[in-house]
Amino acid sequence: MRQNPQRRAALLDAAIEVLAREGSRGLTLRAVDAEAAVPTGTSSNYFANRAQLLVQILHRTRERLTPDPADLAGPLDTKVLLGRLLERMRRERSVHIAMLELRLEGTRRPELQAELAGFQRAELDANVAWHLEAGLPGDRQGVVLLYLAMLGLIVDDLTAPTMLDGYPAEALMEAMVERLLPQPPTP
């Protein structure tokens, strides 16, 4: 297997675009080569098979969706952080849609499902821990509920954006924070 990290990242980025645009059935090593504009067979030098490619796409989506440290600096406000999350998802639309495709593919591939579930559980646990350690309002269960609510908002925003016409995302996120992570009463 080839080890050029820049080429591997470029191939994975191309695979994300193919997966987001064509779905799981359109994701082939040949399609990745075409999207990356590299000679046919290049992807097979980096990924032993399609299953390995799917797992590596999973990890690449997280690299691309990890927030910039500058977005987490300064005084922290949950509503602002959620707004930045939604902006990042809209900016990296194909990455998030590819992640949704991986979730669907995981329902048909037990080995991918296991990898995906473990990966997402670790991400959720890390996000909950970060939220609590940062001193943001809410408890563990409230943060998980906020995660689930935001996931639904993001999925609908990316896949059926007109469904939420009349319900501005900012107002919805504000209500989520107020209802799921209430501020403790001041003495």
Side-chain angles (χ1 to χ4, degrees):
M1 289 289 140
R2 300 263 172 110
Q3 297 301 317
N4 180 332
Q6 293 83 14
R7 175 64 61 97
R8 180 179 298 280
L11 290 169
L12 289 169
D13 289 341
I16 287 169
E17 294 303 320
V18 170
L19 188 58
R21 186 179 59 245
E22 306 293 330
S24 181
R25 289 182 182 233
L27 182 68
T28 63
L29 295 175
R30 185 175 293 245
V32 172
D33 289 340
E35 181 72 21
V38 297
T40 301
T42 301
S43 290
S44 62
N45 290 324
Y46 286 84
F47 312 106
N49 52 47
R50 190 171 179 278
Q52 185 186 71
L53 175 63
L54 289 168
V55 169
Q56 290 196 30
I57 290 171
L58 172 65
H59 293 278
R60 180 67 178 155
T61 62
R62 283 297 160 236
E63 290 171 12
R64 289 191 45 192
L65 293 177
T66 298
D68 185 311
D71 286 343
L72 304 176
L76 298 175
D77 178 286
T78 306
K79 294 171 197 169
V80 171
L81 292 170
L82 293 180
R84 289 177 185 163
L85 170 65
L86 187 61
E87 287 171 13
R88 195 167 54 254
M89 292 304 156
R90 287 174 174 165
R91 189 174 55 249
E92 293 281 356
R93 186 176 190 278
S94 60
V95 178
H96 199 72
I97 289 174
M99 190 63 192
L100 293 174
E101 288 287 345
L102 287 172
R103 286 174 176 238
L104 292 171
E105 186 68 14
T107 66
R108 296 178 284 278
R109 292 177 172 266
E111 70 284 357
L112 180 59
Q113 173 56 274
E115 180 83 19
L116 187 62
F119 188 79
Q120 288 183 292
R121 178 56 191 250
E123 288 288 314
L124 176 60
D125 289 345
N127 286 328
V128 169
W130 181 88
H131 185 99
L132 297 175
E133 290 167 11
L136 293 165
D139 60 8
R140 183 172 301 282
Q141 185 177 39
V143 176
V144 172
L145 289 170
L146 184 62
Y147 164 84
L148 294 170
M150 277 302 293
L151 181 60
L153 175 72
I154 289 168
V155 168
D156 288 342
D157 187 81
L158 292 173
T159 61
T162 59
M163 184 184 105
L164 295 176
D165 284 353
Y167 300 97
E170 295 75 20
L172 291 172
M173 291 184 297
E174 186 172 325
M176 283 181 215
V177 171
E178 290 171 3
R179 293 179 187 186
L180 297 173
L181 305 176
Q183 293 282 346
T186 55

